Amino acid sequence: MPRWEPDGVERLQAAAFELFDEQGFEHTTVAEIAQRAGLTQRTFFNHFADKREVLFGLSSEFQQEIVREIAACADTLPPLDAVVRALQAAADTMFEERRAAVTRRHKIVDANPELQERELSKRAALTDAIAAALHARGLDPEIALLTAGAGMLVQQTAIQRWTQPAESRPLRELLSAALHSLRTTVS
Amino acid sequence: MPRWEPDGVERLQAAAFELFDEQGFEHTTVAEIAQRAGLTQRTFFNHFADKREVLFGLSSEFQQEIVREIAACADTLPPLDAVVRALQAAADTMFEERRAAVTRRHKIVDANPELQERELSKRAALTDAIAAALHARGLDPEIALLTAGAGMLVQQTAIQRWTQPAESRPLRELLSAALHSLRTTVS
């Protein structure tokens, strides 16, 4: 049996999100998630270390993608534009097709203080990784951290809008709009 | 005996910071802090709920000060300038005289993942409070959150610099410099 079954991962994630929504994150067990997905607990643990990882499992993949994209950007591109371009690349490959799942995930995380804390930690780690990638391109460490922080503001603003029911524009476009808003706000 | 003894608070804090530095936050007890300060455990608990509060006890006072200052700013002042002006007022009244203590506190928090998580939560709460204060001034909620996030970037950049041994400029001046750096970075 191959370790990586995209279908299994998707089914487990969908089942977990449904249950977290219905009965809360705290009151949902791995056994219930596996049962709802029609899979075994063993399959669950082949893919996720615990139920929290269903919510945060993609964050290291996201971070790697962003760092790779920043490194691949032309040196002539201003640093904040490089960051937003990397976020847009990840928006296309990792987010755009999963709008409903990401929206549901946000609701679940927002409803639970422990998950919120974990989200903040992941966000801080991503900020540091972006700053390191910018520093590797020759940017002064302080400016690198400031630019990374600005990029994360753009990402959060765009995701916040993208997960609103009334919003239909793609995340890529909302990232551009958020960058524009930040420029207006800060200028 | 009055409940508020500034001298007692200062002594307990200084003793706690010394001990956290010497033997780590985890391995320090309230009994040791009180003993080092030459005070009783009862006095400690008159001022702080637990040893963590010695590090985070000022954050709600800081938040109230910032929110009050933003509300007091002239309506004509651009929102981000209002936030930075509020941070400068708090820098003068709450930070400037406590440079050594704040620097030591930062080292302690940075060395402990649990304290870092708490720091991130407090920072998120402050961001939300600033955004609410800006929204109360009539700013659109999304722009209010973006402006609050930008203000927090300025604060973090300035504090980071201010707590470096080689840095001697006052925090107020470093806040202005950080705002200038952010403007250059984002433009």
Side-chain angles (χ1 to χ4, degrees), chain A residues 1-17 30 33-48 53-54 98:
Chain A
M1 189 182 77
R3 195 179 171 325
W4 177 252
E5 303 169 80
D7 189 45
V9 169
E10 295 285 332
R11 274 161 65 192
L12 286 163
Q13 198 183 49
F17 286 13
V30 168
I33 296 170
Q35 193 185 22
R36 175 73 62 103
L39 295 166
T40 63
Q41 287 194 59
R42 194 174 151 176
T43 305
F44 180 95
F45 288 116
N46 278 341
H47 297 300
F48 302 105
E53 276 309 299
V54 183
R98 310 175 64 251

PDB file of all heavy atoms in Angstrom, chain A residues 1-17 30 33-48 53-54 98:
ATOM      1  N   MET A   1       0.852  -1.198   0.000  1.00  0.00           N
ATOM      2  CA  MET A   1       0.000   0.000   0.000  1.00  0.00           C
ATOM      3  C   MET A   1       0.887   1.247   0.000  1.00  0.00           C
ATOM      4  O   MET A   1       1.760   1.374   0.866  1.00  0.00           O
ATOM      5  CB  MET A   1      -0.884   0.002   1.255  1.00  0.00           C
ATOM      6  CG  MET A   1      -1.937   1.068   1.262  1.00  0.00           C
ATOM      7  SD  MET A   1      -2.880   1.007   2.794  1.00  0.00           S
ATOM      8  CE  MET A   1      -1.766   1.776   3.961  1.00  0.00           C
ATOM      9  N   PRO A   2       0.701   2.163  -0.921  1.00  0.00           N
ATOM     10  CA  PRO A   2       1.529   3.363  -0.929  1.00  0.00           C
ATOM     11  C   PRO A   2       1.195   4.243   0.278  1.00  0.00           C
ATOM     12  O   PRO A   2       0.038   4.303   0.710  1.00  0.00           O
ATOM     13  CB  PRO A   2       1.144   4.065  -2.229  1.00  0.00           C
ATOM     14  CG  PRO A   2      -0.238   3.578  -2.532  1.00  0.00           C
ATOM     15  CD  PRO A   2      -0.373   2.216  -1.946  1.00  0.00           C
ATOM     16  N   ARG A   3       2.250   4.890   0.829  1.00  0.00           N
ATOM     17  CA  ARG A   3       2.044   5.712   2.019  1.00  0.00           C
ATOM     18  C   ARG A   3       1.215   6.952   1.669  1.00  0.00           C
ATOM     19  O   ARG A   3       0.444   7.450   2.467  1.00  0.00           O
ATOM     20  CB  ARG A   3       3.418   6.134   2.564  1.00  0.00           C
ATOM     21  CG  ARG A   3       3.296   6.659   3.992  1.00  0.00           C
ATOM     22  CD  ARG A   3       4.614   7.058   4.559  1.00  0.00           C
ATOM     23  NE  ARG A   3       4.507   7.758   5.833  1.00  0.00           N
ATOM     24  CZ  ARG A   3       3.582   8.589   6.223  1.00  0.00           C
ATOM     25  NH1 ARG A   3       2.566   8.819   5.453  1.00  0.00           N
ATOM     26  NH2 ARG A   3       3.644   9.196   7.410  1.00  0.00           N
ATOM     27  N   TRP A   4       1.399   7.437   0.467  1.00  0.00           N
ATOM     28  CA  TRP A   4       0.722   8.660   0.067  1.00  0.00           C
ATOM     29  C   TRP A   4      -0.526   8.352  -0.760  1.00  0.00           C
ATOM     30  O   TRP A   4      -0.437   7.886  -1.885  1.00  0.00           O
ATOM     31  CB  TRP A   4       1.706   9.522  -0.755  1.00  0.00           C
ATOM     32  CG  TRP A   4       1.075  10.765  -1.273  1.00  0.00           C
ATOM     33  CD1 TRP A   4       0.744  11.039  -2.565  1.00  0.00           C
ATOM     34  CD2 TRP A   4       0.649  11.889  -0.528  1.00  0.00           C
ATOM     35  NE1 TRP A   4       0.164  12.270  -2.664  1.00  0.00           N
ATOM     36  CE2 TRP A   4       0.078  12.822  -1.429  1.00  0.00           C
ATOM     37  CE3 TRP A   4       0.677  12.210   0.851  1.00  0.00           C
ATOM     38  CZ2 TRP A   4      -0.437  14.055  -0.999  1.00  0.00           C
ATOM     39  CZ3 TRP A   4       0.157  13.425   1.246  1.00  0.00           C
ATOM     40  CH2 TRP A   4      -0.380  14.322   0.329  1.00  0.00           C
ATOM     41  N   GLU A   5      -1.677   8.552  -0.155  1.00  0.00           N
ATOM     42  CA  GLU A   5      -2.930   8.354  -0.889  1.00  0.00           C
ATOM     43  C   GLU A   5      -3.672   9.670  -0.853  1.00  0.00           C
ATOM     44  O   GLU A   5      -4.397   9.933   0.111  1.00  0.00           O
ATOM     45  CB  GLU A   5      -3.841   7.341  -0.189  1.00  0.00           C
ATOM     46  CG  GLU A   5      -3.265   6.001   0.058  1.00  0.00           C
ATOM     47  CD  GLU A   5      -4.212   5.242   1.007  1.00  0.00           C
ATOM     48  OE1 GLU A   5      -5.232   4.709   0.528  1.00  0.00           O
ATOM     49  OE2 GLU A   5      -3.953   5.226   2.204  1.00  0.00           O
ATOM     50  N   PRO A   6      -3.557  10.471  -1.871  1.00  0.00           N
ATOM     51  CA  PRO A   6      -4.209  11.789  -1.852  1.00  0.00           C
ATOM     52  C   PRO A   6      -5.698  11.657  -1.537  1.00  0.00           C
ATOM     53  O   PRO A   6      -6.273  12.437  -0.789  1.00  0.00           O
ATOM     54  CB  PRO A   6      -3.990  12.315  -3.268  1.00  0.00           C
ATOM     55  CG  PRO A   6      -2.873  11.503  -3.839  1.00  0.00           C
ATOM     56  CD  PRO A   6      -2.880  10.196  -3.131  1.00  0.00           C
ATOM     57  N   ASP A   7      -6.299  10.629  -2.083  1.00  0.00           N
ATOM     58  CA  ASP A   7      -7.717  10.450  -1.869  1.00  0.00           C
ATOM     59  C   ASP A   7      -8.023  10.206  -0.391  1.00  0.00           C
ATOM     60  O   ASP A   7      -8.955  10.767   0.169  1.00  0.00           O
ATOM     61  CB  ASP A   7      -8.198   9.278  -2.734  1.00  0.00           C
ATOM     62  CG  ASP A   7      -9.709   9.172  -2.714  1.00  0.00           C
ATOM     63  OD1 ASP A   7     -10.356  10.219  -2.845  1.00  0.00           O
ATOM     64  OD2 ASP A   7     -10.211   8.057  -2.526  1.00  0.00           O
ATOM     65  N   GLY A   8      -7.182   9.355   0.250  1.00  0.00           N
ATOM     66  CA  GLY A   8      -7.363   9.074   1.671  1.00  0.00           C
ATOM     67  C   GLY A   8      -7.203  10.333   2.507  1.00  0.00           C
ATOM     68  O   GLY A   8      -8.017  10.616   3.389  1.00  0.00           O
ATOM     69  N   VAL A   9      -6.170  11.123   2.188  1.00  0.00           N
ATOM     70  CA  VAL A   9      -5.925  12.369   2.919  1.00  0.00           C
ATOM     71  C   VAL A   9      -7.125  13.306   2.801  1.00  0.00           C
ATOM     72  O   VAL A   9      -7.623  13.847   3.797  1.00  0.00           O
ATOM     73  CB  VAL A   9      -4.640  13.072   2.394  1.00  0.00           C
ATOM     74  CG1 VAL A   9      -4.525  14.482   2.942  1.00  0.00           C
ATOM     75  CG2 VAL A   9      -3.411  12.259   2.760  1.00  0.00           C
ATOM     76  N   GLU A  10      -7.607  13.459   1.576  1.00  0.00           N
ATOM     77  CA  GLU A  10      -8.748  14.359   1.329  1.00  0.00           C
ATOM     78  C   GLU A  10      -9.982  13.887   2.090  1.00  0.00           C
ATOM     79  O   GLU A  10     -10.710  14.688   2.684  1.00  0.00           O
ATOM     80  CB  GLU A  10      -9.080  14.408  -0.174  1.00  0.00           C
ATOM     81  CG  GLU A  10      -8.005  15.022  -1.054  1.00  0.00           C
ATOM     82  CD  GLU A  10      -7.935  16.540  -0.948  1.00  0.00           C
ATOM     83  OE1 GLU A  10      -8.958  17.183  -0.653  1.00  0.00           O
ATOM     84  OE2 GLU A  10      -6.826  17.092  -1.140  1.00  0.00           O
ATOM     85  N   ARG A  11     -10.227  12.573   2.053  1.00  0.00           N
ATOM     86  CA  ARG A  11     -11.414  12.032   2.739  1.00  0.00           C
ATOM     87  C   ARG A  11     -11.315  12.206   4.245  1.00  0.00           C
ATOM     88  O   ARG A  11     -12.289  12.569   4.906  1.00  0.00           O
ATOM     89  CB  ARG A  11     -11.591  10.549   2.388  1.00  0.00           C
ATOM     90  CG  ARG A  11     -12.368  10.330   1.098  1.00  0.00           C
ATOM     91  CD  ARG A  11     -12.144   8.955   0.518  1.00  0.00           C
ATOM     92  NE  ARG A  11     -12.653   7.913   1.388  1.00  0.00           N
ATOM     93  CZ  ARG A  11     -12.374   6.601   1.214  1.00  0.00           C
ATOM     94  NH1 ARG A  11     -11.605   6.213   0.204  1.00  0.00           N
ATOM     95  NH2 ARG A  11     -12.875   5.699   2.038  1.00  0.00           N
ATOM     96  N   LEU A  12     -10.126  11.942   4.776  1.00  0.00           N
ATOM     97  CA  LEU A  12      -9.942  12.110   6.223  1.00  0.00           C
ATOM     98  C   LEU A  12     -10.100  13.571   6.624  1.00  0.00           C
ATOM     99  O   LEU A  12     -10.722  13.890   7.638  1.00  0.00           O
ATOM    100  CB  LEU A  12      -8.553  11.598   6.636  1.00  0.00           C
ATOM    101  CG  LEU A  12      -8.399  10.068   6.645  1.00  0.00           C
ATOM    102  CD1 LEU A  12      -6.920   9.673   6.649  1.00  0.00           C
ATOM    103  CD2 LEU A  12      -9.130   9.451   7.839  1.00  0.00           C
ATOM    104  N   GLN A  13      -9.551  14.448   5.814  1.00  0.00           N
ATOM    105  CA  GLN A  13      -9.642  15.872   6.112  1.00  0.00           C
ATOM    106  C   GLN A  13     -11.097  16.348   6.060  1.00  0.00           C
ATOM    107  O   GLN A  13     -11.568  17.041   6.970  1.00  0.00           O
ATOM    108  CB  GLN A  13      -8.795  16.647   5.116  1.00  0.00           C
ATOM    109  CG  GLN A  13      -8.480  18.028   5.585  1.00  0.00           C
ATOM    110  CD  GLN A  13      -7.693  18.804   4.549  1.00  0.00           C
ATOM    111  OE1 GLN A  13      -8.062  18.830   3.372  1.00  0.00           O
ATOM    112  NE2 GLN A  13      -6.635  19.446   4.982  1.00  0.00           N
ATOM    113  N   ALA A  14     -11.793  15.945   5.015  1.00  0.00           N
ATOM    114  CA  ALA A  14     -13.205  16.345   4.885  1.00  0.00           C
ATOM    115  C   ALA A  14     -14.021  15.829   6.067  1.00  0.00           C
ATOM    116  O   ALA A  14     -14.833  16.563   6.656  1.00  0.00           O
ATOM    117  CB  ALA A  14     -13.768  15.821   3.559  1.00  0.00           C
ATOM    118  N   ALA A  15     -13.777  14.574   6.434  1.00  0.00           N
ATOM    119  CA  ALA A  15     -14.521  13.974   7.562  1.00  0.00           C
ATOM    120  C   ALA A  15     -14.202  14.716   8.857  1.00  0.00           C
ATOM    121  O   ALA A  15     -15.101  15.031   9.648  1.00  0.00           O
ATOM    122  CB  ALA A  15     -14.145  12.498   7.686  1.00  0.00           C
ATOM    123  N   ALA A  16     -12.912  15.008   9.066  1.00  0.00           N
ATOM    124  CA  ALA A  16     -12.490  15.704  10.290  1.00  0.00           C
ATOM    125  C   ALA A  16     -13.129  17.085  10.370  1.00  0.00           C
ATOM    126  O   ALA A  16     -13.669  17.475  11.414  1.00  0.00           O
ATOM    127  CB  ALA A  16     -10.964  15.823  10.322  1.00  0.00           C
ATOM    128  N   PHE A  17     -13.105  17.829   9.269  1.00  0.00           N
ATOM    129  CA  PHE A  17     -13.646  19.186   9.261  1.00  0.00           C
ATOM    130  C   PHE A  17     -15.147  19.158   9.549  1.00  0.00           C
ATOM    131  O   PHE A  17     -15.651  20.006  10.294  1.00  0.00           O
ATOM    132  CB  PHE A  17     -13.359  19.871   7.922  1.00  0.00           C
ATOM    133  CG  PHE A  17     -11.919  20.296   7.751  1.00  0.00           C
ATOM    134  CD1 PHE A  17     -10.923  19.845   8.606  1.00  0.00           C
ATOM    135  CD2 PHE A  17     -11.552  21.151   6.729  1.00  0.00           C
ATOM    136  CE1 PHE A  17      -9.597  20.232   8.446  1.00  0.00           C
ATOM    137  CE2 PHE A  17     -10.231  21.550   6.564  1.00  0.00           C
ATOM    138  CZ  PHE A  17      -9.251  21.080   7.419  1.00  0.00           C
ATOM    139  N   VAL A  30     -10.109  10.559  16.891  1.00  0.00           N
ATOM    140  CA  VAL A  30      -9.547  10.009  15.660  1.00  0.00           C
ATOM    141  C   VAL A  30     -10.416   8.842  15.169  1.00  0.00           C
ATOM    142  O   VAL A  30     -10.643   8.682  13.961  1.00  0.00           O
ATOM    143  CB  VAL A  30      -8.080   9.569  15.886  1.00  0.00           C
ATOM    144  CG1 VAL A  30      -7.577   8.731  14.718  1.00  0.00           C
ATOM    145  CG2 VAL A  30      -7.180  10.781  16.082  1.00  0.00           C
ATOM    146  N   ILE A  33     -13.276  10.195  13.249  1.00  0.00           N
ATOM    147  CA  ILE A  33     -12.844  10.738  11.947  1.00  0.00           C
ATOM    148  C   ILE A  33     -12.648   9.604  10.949  1.00  0.00           C
ATOM    149  O   ILE A  33     -13.154   9.657   9.816  1.00  0.00           O
ATOM    150  CB  ILE A  33     -11.531  11.555  12.093  1.00  0.00           C
ATOM    151  CG1 ILE A  33     -11.747  12.780  12.986  1.00  0.00           C
ATOM    152  CG2 ILE A  33     -11.004  11.989  10.724  1.00  0.00           C
ATOM    153  CD1 ILE A  33     -10.470  13.511  13.395  1.00  0.00           C
ATOM    154  N   ALA A  34     -11.932   8.546  11.386  1.00  0.00           N
ATOM    155  CA  ALA A  34     -11.675   7.412  10.489  1.00  0.00           C
ATOM    156  C   ALA A  34     -12.994   6.758  10.071  1.00  0.00           C
ATOM    157  O   ALA A  34     -13.207   6.462   8.888  1.00  0.00           O
ATOM    158  CB  ALA A  34     -10.768   6.399  11.191  1.00  0.00           C
ATOM    159  N   GLN A  35     -13.869   6.579  11.042  1.00  0.00           N
ATOM    160  CA  GLN A  35     -15.166   5.948  10.748  1.00  0.00           C
ATOM    161  C   GLN A  35     -15.965   6.774   9.737  1.00  0.00           C
ATOM    162  O   GLN A  35     -16.479   6.239   8.765  1.00  0.00           O
ATOM    163  CB  GLN A  35     -15.966   5.798  12.046  1.00  0.00           C
ATOM    164  CG  GLN A  35     -17.162   4.873  11.881  1.00  0.00           C
ATOM    165  CD  GLN A  35     -18.021   4.819  13.140  1.00  0.00           C
ATOM    166  OE1 GLN A  35     -17.976   5.741  13.974  1.00  0.00           O
ATOM    167  NE2 GLN A  35     -18.799   3.752  13.277  1.00  0.00           N
ATOM    168  N   ARG A  36     -16.040   8.082   9.956  1.00  0.00           N
ATOM    169  CA  ARG A  36     -16.774   8.952   9.044  1.00  0.00           C
ATOM    170  C   ARG A  36     -16.190   8.903   7.625  1.00  0.00           C
ATOM    171  O   ARG A  36     -16.915   8.954   6.646  1.00  0.00           O
ATOM    172  CB  ARG A  36     -16.741  10.386   9.595  1.00  0.00           C
ATOM    173  CG  ARG A  36     -17.358  11.475   8.728  1.00  0.00           C
ATOM    174  CD  ARG A  36     -18.888  11.482   8.656  1.00  0.00           C
ATOM    175  NE  ARG A  36     -19.543  11.707   9.916  1.00  0.00           N
ATOM    176  CZ  ARG A  36     -20.109  12.860  10.324  1.00  0.00           C
ATOM    177  NH1 ARG A  36     -20.099  13.907   9.520  1.00  0.00           N
ATOM    178  NH2 ARG A  36     -20.698  12.949  11.501  1.00  0.00           N
ATOM    179  N   ALA A  37     -14.856   8.768   7.551  1.00  0.00           N
ATOM    180  CA  ALA A  37     -14.196   8.715   6.236  1.00  0.00           C
ATOM    181  C   ALA A  37     -14.283   7.322   5.607  1.00  0.00           C
ATOM    182  O   ALA A  37     -13.888   7.136   4.453  1.00  0.00           O
ATOM    183  CB  ALA A  37     -12.738   9.132   6.383  1.00  0.00           C
ATOM    184  N   GLY A  38     -14.750   6.335   6.381  1.00  0.00           N
ATOM    185  CA  GLY A  38     -14.808   4.966   5.869  1.00  0.00           C
ATOM    186  C   GLY A  38     -13.431   4.333   5.767  1.00  0.00           C
ATOM    187  O   GLY A  38     -13.160   3.493   4.905  1.00  0.00           O
ATOM    188  N   LEU A  39     -12.522   4.775   6.648  1.00  0.00           N
ATOM    189  CA  LEU A  39     -11.153   4.243   6.641  1.00  0.00           C
ATOM    190  C   LEU A  39     -10.797   3.765   8.052  1.00  0.00           C
ATOM    191  O   LEU A  39     -11.550   3.993   8.999  1.00  0.00           O
ATOM    192  CB  LEU A  39     -10.182   5.357   6.195  1.00  0.00           C
ATOM    193  CG  LEU A  39     -10.350   5.853   4.751  1.00  0.00           C
ATOM    194  CD1 LEU A  39      -9.596   7.159   4.536  1.00  0.00           C
ATOM    195  CD2 LEU A  39      -9.876   4.800   3.742  1.00  0.00           C
ATOM    196  N   THR A  40      -9.646   3.113   8.186  1.00  0.00           N
ATOM    197  CA  THR A  40      -9.235   2.638   9.511  1.00  0.00           C
ATOM    198  C   THR A  40      -8.418   3.702  10.243  1.00  0.00           C
ATOM    199  O   THR A  40      -7.874   4.617   9.621  1.00  0.00           O
ATOM    200  CB  THR A  40      -8.342   1.385   9.389  1.00  0.00           C
ATOM    201  OG1 THR A  40      -7.149   1.761   8.678  1.00  0.00           O
ATOM    202  CG2 THR A  40      -9.056   0.271   8.634  1.00  0.00           C
ATOM    203  N   GLN A  41      -8.345   3.551  11.566  1.00  0.00           N
ATOM    204  CA  GLN A  41      -7.502   4.463  12.350  1.00  0.00           C
ATOM    205  C   GLN A  41      -6.044   4.350  11.910  1.00  0.00           C
ATOM    206  O   GLN A  41      -5.297   5.313  11.936  1.00  0.00           O
ATOM    207  CB  GLN A  41      -7.600   4.141  13.837  1.00  0.00           C
ATOM    208  CG  GLN A  41      -8.922   4.561  14.441  1.00  0.00           C
ATOM    209  CD  GLN A  41      -8.860   4.533  15.960  1.00  0.00           C
ATOM    210  OE1 GLN A  41      -8.030   5.219  16.566  1.00  0.00           O
ATOM    211  NE2 GLN A  41      -9.725   3.764  16.581  1.00  0.00           N
ATOM    212  N   ARG A  42      -5.654   3.123  11.506  1.00  0.00           N
ATOM    213  CA  ARG A  42      -4.285   2.912  11.056  1.00  0.00           C
ATOM    214  C   ARG A  42      -3.986   3.796   9.833  1.00  0.00           C
ATOM    215  O   ARG A  42      -2.909   4.381   9.740  1.00  0.00           O
ATOM    216  CB  ARG A  42      -4.100   1.444  10.708  1.00  0.00           C
ATOM    217  CG  ARG A  42      -2.657   1.095  10.557  1.00  0.00           C
ATOM    218  CD  ARG A  42      -2.476  -0.382  10.358  1.00  0.00           C
ATOM    219  NE  ARG A  42      -1.269  -0.582   9.572  1.00  0.00           N
ATOM    220  CZ  ARG A  42      -0.770  -1.767   9.286  1.00  0.00           C
ATOM    221  NH1 ARG A  42      -1.389  -2.864   9.682  1.00  0.00           N
ATOM    222  NH2 ARG A  42       0.340  -1.860   8.575  1.00  0.00           N
ATOM    223  N   THR A  43      -4.955   3.858   8.921  1.00  0.00           N
ATOM    224  CA  THR A  43      -4.777   4.726   7.749  1.00  0.00           C
ATOM    225  C   THR A  43      -4.655   6.187   8.195  1.00  0.00           C
ATOM    226  O   THR A  43      -3.817   6.938   7.697  1.00  0.00           O
ATOM    227  CB  THR A  43      -5.954   4.552   6.766  1.00  0.00           C
ATOM    228  OG1 THR A  43      -6.057   3.170   6.434  1.00  0.00           O
ATOM    229  CG2 THR A  43      -5.736   5.362   5.500  1.00  0.00           C
ATOM    230  N   PHE A  44      -5.499   6.579   9.167  1.00  0.00           N
ATOM    231  CA  PHE A  44      -5.391   7.942   9.692  1.00  0.00           C
ATOM    232  C   PHE A  44      -3.960   8.219  10.146  1.00  0.00           C
ATOM    233  O   PHE A  44      -3.344   9.206   9.752  1.00  0.00           O
ATOM    234  CB  PHE A  44      -6.370   8.167  10.863  1.00  0.00           C
ATOM    235  CG  PHE A  44      -6.290   9.566  11.437  1.00  0.00           C
ATOM    236  CD1 PHE A  44      -7.154  10.561  11.010  1.00  0.00           C
ATOM    237  CD2 PHE A  44      -5.318   9.902  12.390  1.00  0.00           C
ATOM    238  CE1 PHE A  44      -7.058  11.861  11.518  1.00  0.00           C
ATOM    239  CE2 PHE A  44      -5.221  11.188  12.891  1.00  0.00           C
ATOM    240  CZ  PHE A  44      -6.099  12.168  12.456  1.00  0.00           C
ATOM    241  N   PHE A  45      -3.428   7.313  10.960  1.00  0.00           N
ATOM    242  CA  PHE A  45      -2.094   7.553  11.533  1.00  0.00           C
ATOM    243  C   PHE A  45      -0.967   7.373  10.514  1.00  0.00           C
ATOM    244  O   PHE A  45       0.167   7.753  10.768  1.00  0.00           O
ATOM    245  CB  PHE A  45      -1.883   6.690  12.782  1.00  0.00           C
ATOM    246  CG  PHE A  45      -2.687   7.169  13.959  1.00  0.00           C
ATOM    247  CD1 PHE A  45      -3.694   6.378  14.522  1.00  0.00           C
ATOM    248  CD2 PHE A  45      -2.471   8.433  14.501  1.00  0.00           C
ATOM    249  CE1 PHE A  45      -4.442   6.820  15.600  1.00  0.00           C
ATOM    250  CE2 PHE A  45      -3.216   8.891  15.585  1.00  0.00           C
ATOM    251  CZ  PHE A  45      -4.205   8.083  16.129  1.00  0.00           C
ATOM    252  N   ASN A  46      -1.293   6.762   9.362  1.00  0.00           N
ATOM    253  CA  ASN A  46      -0.309   6.764   8.269  1.00  0.00           C
ATOM    254  C   ASN A  46      -0.104   8.178   7.717  1.00  0.00           C
ATOM    255  O   ASN A  46       0.939   8.482   7.154  1.00  0.00           O
ATOM    256  CB  ASN A  46      -0.768   5.864   7.118  1.00  0.00           C
ATOM    257  CG  ASN A  46      -0.436   4.408   7.378  1.00  0.00           C
ATOM    258  OD1 ASN A  46       0.416   4.105   8.213  1.00  0.00           O
ATOM    259  ND2 ASN A  46      -1.119   3.510   6.682  1.00  0.00           N
ATOM    260  N   HIS A  47      -1.151   8.997   7.854  1.00  0.00           N
ATOM    261  CA  HIS A  47      -1.090  10.324   7.247  1.00  0.00           C
ATOM    262  C   HIS A  47      -0.885  11.464   8.239  1.00  0.00           C
ATOM    263  O   HIS A  47      -0.302  12.486   7.911  1.00  0.00           O
ATOM    264  CB  HIS A  47      -2.372  10.585   6.437  1.00  0.00           C
ATOM    265  CG  HIS A  47      -2.545   9.644   5.298  1.00  0.00           C
ATOM    266  ND1 HIS A  47      -1.636   9.552   4.279  1.00  0.00           N
ATOM    267  CD2 HIS A  47      -3.507   8.723   5.030  1.00  0.00           C
ATOM    268  CE1 HIS A  47      -2.036   8.637   3.410  1.00  0.00           C
ATOM    269  NE2 HIS A  47      -3.161   8.112   3.846  1.00  0.00           N
ATOM    270  N   PHE A  48      -1.423  11.303   9.457  1.00  0.00           N
ATOM    271  CA  PHE A  48      -1.381  12.402  10.436  1.00  0.00           C
ATOM    272  C   PHE A  48      -0.916  11.890  11.795  1.00  0.00           C
ATOM    273  O   PHE A  48      -1.335  10.811  12.230  1.00  0.00           O
ATOM    274  CB  PHE A  48      -2.789  13.006  10.601  1.00  0.00           C
ATOM    275  CG  PHE A  48      -3.384  13.530   9.316  1.00  0.00           C
ATOM    276  CD1 PHE A  48      -4.385  12.818   8.657  1.00  0.00           C
ATOM    277  CD2 PHE A  48      -2.948  14.720   8.761  1.00  0.00           C
ATOM    278  CE1 PHE A  48      -4.942  13.288   7.475  1.00  0.00           C
ATOM    279  CE2 PHE A  48      -3.497  15.202   7.582  1.00  0.00           C
ATOM    280  CZ  PHE A  48      -4.503  14.479   6.940  1.00  0.00           C
ATOM    281  N   GLU A  53      -3.007  17.705  13.524  1.00  0.00           N
ATOM    282  CA  GLU A  53      -2.242  17.755  12.275  1.00  0.00           C
ATOM    283  C   GLU A  53      -3.131  17.793  11.032  1.00  0.00           C
ATOM    284  O   GLU A  53      -2.671  18.171   9.957  1.00  0.00           O
ATOM    285  CB  GLU A  53      -1.255  16.590  12.202  1.00  0.00           C
ATOM    286  CG  GLU A  53       0.053  16.832  12.924  1.00  0.00           C
ATOM    287  CD  GLU A  53       0.710  18.143  12.534  1.00  0.00           C
ATOM    288  OE1 GLU A  53       1.033  18.308  11.353  1.00  0.00           O
ATOM    289  OE2 GLU A  53       0.873  19.014  13.414  1.00  0.00           O
ATOM    290  N   VAL A  54      -4.385  17.373  11.181  1.00  0.00           N
ATOM    291  CA  VAL A  54      -5.309  17.483  10.045  1.00  0.00           C
ATOM    292  C   VAL A  54      -5.482  18.960   9.681  1.00  0.00           C
ATOM    293  O   VAL A  54      -5.647  19.330   8.518  1.00  0.00           O
ATOM    294  CB  VAL A  54      -6.685  16.859  10.376  1.00  0.00           C
ATOM    295  CG1 VAL A  54      -7.612  16.906   9.172  1.00  0.00           C
ATOM    296  CG2 VAL A  54      -6.526  15.423  10.856  1.00  0.00           C
ATOM    297  N   ARG A  98      -9.137  24.648  -2.958  1.00  0.00           N
ATOM    298  CA  ARG A  98      -9.570  24.142  -1.650  1.00  0.00           C
ATOM    299  C   ARG A  98     -10.267  25.233  -0.824  1.00  0.00           C
ATOM    300  O   ARG A  98     -10.220  25.251   0.389  1.00  0.00           O
ATOM    301  CB  ARG A  98      -8.347  23.588  -0.898  1.00  0.00           C
ATOM    302  CG  ARG A  98      -7.541  22.613  -1.770  1.00  0.00           C
ATOM    303  CD  ARG A  98      -6.251  22.134  -1.117  1.00  0.00           C
ATOM    304  NE  ARG A  98      -6.500  21.356   0.075  1.00  0.00           N
ATOM    305  CZ  ARG A  98      -6.252  21.759   1.298  1.00  0.00           C
ATOM    306  NH1 ARG A  98      -5.752  22.963   1.500  1.00  0.00           N
ATOM    307  NH2 ARG A  98      -6.522  21.001   2.317  1.00  0.00           N
TER     308      ARG A  98
END
